[in-house]
Amino acid sequence: MDTIGYFASISIGISLGLIGGGGSILTVPVLVYLFRIDAALATVYSLFIVGMTSVAGSFTYFRKGLVNMKTALIFGIPSIISVFLTRTFFVPAIPDEVFTLANFSLTKDIMLILLFAVLMIFASYNMIKKCKGEDCFKTDNKPVRNTAIVLQGAVVGFVTGLIGAGGGFLIIPALVGLLKLDIKNAIGTSLFIIAINSLFGFGVSVIHFMIEWNLILKILGLAVLGVLIGSWLSTKIDGKKLKPAFGWFVLVMGVYILIKETLI
C-alpha cells in the first residue's frame, strides 16, 4: 500500500500544478487509507504537506506578480487567527469517543474523516460545474463589507485547522466574488494564503504529536515533484478539460468514504 501511496502523493502535486487546486483534498485520505495513519495525525501531516506544496506552487505566481499581498493580509489575518483557535482549543477539546448510537460508535478519527468526505463532495462541485474563469463565481457591483471578508477568512481558517485541507475551493470564490480579483491573481493569492494558514496550523500542532519526518518528507518531495510535472503538463494539456474528470473522481471518493465509515 505504501507504493500506491507514494504514486498518489505525486498525483496530489500534479493536480495542483495542472488545474490550480484540488490535490490537497486527497492528502488526508491518502495518509489515512494508504499509509494507515490515524485521522487526527493525518490532519497534522496534511497541514505541512499542503503548506509546503502550496509554497512551491505559488513560486511561479510570485515571479509573475500575481500574488496580491494586501488582499492576502486582509483575508489572511482572520484566517490565521481562526487556525490558531481551532488547533489550540477546538480540536483538542473533541473527545476520543464523540457519541455511541446502537452498534455505531462515532470516534474522533471517524468524525474527522467523515467531515473530510463531506468537504470532498462540496469541493467536487466547483470542479465539475461548467464555467470559465470569473464565470464560475457570482459577482456584482455591490460594495463589499469588511465583515463579510473577515467571516469568510475565519471560515477558511476553521476548515484548515480542523481537517488539514487548504480550502482553496472556498478562498478562490471569495477572492473573485468579494474582492473582485481576476482569476489568475485569485489563484496565486489563494496559494499564498493556503501556505501561510497550513504551515501556521502545523506549527501550532507539531508540539503535540510525534512526527515521522522520514515519511512526511518523502511524501512532500513527491508532491512537490508532482507540482513541477503538473506545471509542465499545463503548457501541453488544457487543465480545464481534466478538471471535471478529477471532480467526479473526488466526488466518488467522498461518497465511498461516507459509505465505508458509516455502513461497512
Side-chain angles (χ1 to χ4, degrees):
M1 295 296 285
D2 284 2
T3 302
I4 299 174
Y6 289 130
F7 278 108
S9 300
I10 298 176
S11 71
I12 290 170
I14 289 176
S15 171
L16 183 63
L18 185 58
I19 65 176
S24 65
I25 204 72
L26 297 178
T27 306
V28 168
V30 166
L31 292 170
V32 170
Y33 294 112
L34 298 182
F35 289 104
R36 299 172 296 280
I37 297 170
D38 69 83
L41 181 58
T43 63
V44 179
Y45 283 15
S46 178
L47 287 170
F48 181 77
I49 294 166
V50 169
M52 293 302 295
T53 306
S54 296
V55 169
S58 64
F59 181 71
T60 301
Y61 290 91
F62 264 113
R63 288 195 307 171
K64 295 180 179 180
L66 294 175
V67 176
N68 190 313
M69 294 301 298
K70 181 180 178 181
T71 298
L73 290 175
I74 294 173
F75 192 93
I77 289 175
S79 189
I80 290 173
I81 293 172
S82 183
V83 169
F84 172 77
L85 294 175
T86 302
R87 296 303 301 186
T88 304
F89 300 106
F90 186 80
V91 174
I94 301 174
D96 291 334
E97 186 172 317
V98 180
F99 71 83
T100 300
L101 182 63
N103 294 324
F104 177 75
S105 178
L106 181 66
T107 64
K108 181 177 182 177
D109 281 352
I110 292 177
M111 187 191 76
L112 289 175
I113 201 66
L114 288 177
L115 288 174
F116 209 94
V118 172
L119 179 68
M120 292 176 75
I121 292 171
F122 276 104
S124 68
Y125 171 74
N126 279 336
M127 301 177 197
I128 294 170
K129 66 180 181 180
K130 296 180 180 180
C131 53
K132 295 182 180 180
E134 286 85 346
D135 293 338
C136 294
F137 315 110
K138 294 180 180 179
T139 59
D140 53 48
N141 296 319
K142 296 180 180 179
V144 181
R145 294 183 178 180
N146 290 333
T147 304
I149 300 171
V150 170
L151 288 176
Q152 189 79 24
V155 169
V156 169
F158 178 75
V159 170
T160 300
L162 181 61
I163 56 181
F169 81 103
L170 293 172
I171 298 174
I172 292 177
L175 296 181
V176 174
L178 292 178
L179 299 177
K180 308 300 186 288
L181 293 187
D182 65 82
I183 191 65
K184 290 185 178 179
N185 271 282
I187 292 173
T189 305
S190 174
L191 285 171
F192 179 79
I193 294 170
I194 291 170
I196 296 299
N197 280 355
S198 299
L199 293 177
F200 183 82
F202 177 77
V204 170
S205 304
V206 68
I207 59 175
H208 302 294
F209 293 89
M210 292 292 294
I211 305 298
E212 190 178 343
W213 285 105
N214 185 48
L215 173 63
I216 196 174
L217 290 175
K218 283 181 181 178
I219 297 172
L220 173 62
L222 292 171
V224 171
L225 175 63
V227 167
L228 298 177
I229 294 173
S231 297
W232 177 77
L233 287 175
S234 67
T235 64
K236 310 292 182 181
I237 304 173
D238 185 0
K240 292 178 181 178
K241 295 180 180 179
L242 297 179
K243 193 172 183 178
F246 184 77
W248 282 108
F249 173 72
V250 171
L251 175 62
V252 170
M253 286 296 298
V255 172
Y256 167 77
I257 291 171
L258 282 177
I259 294 173
K260 181 180 186 301
E261 296 295 340
T262 56
L263 300 180
I264 297 178

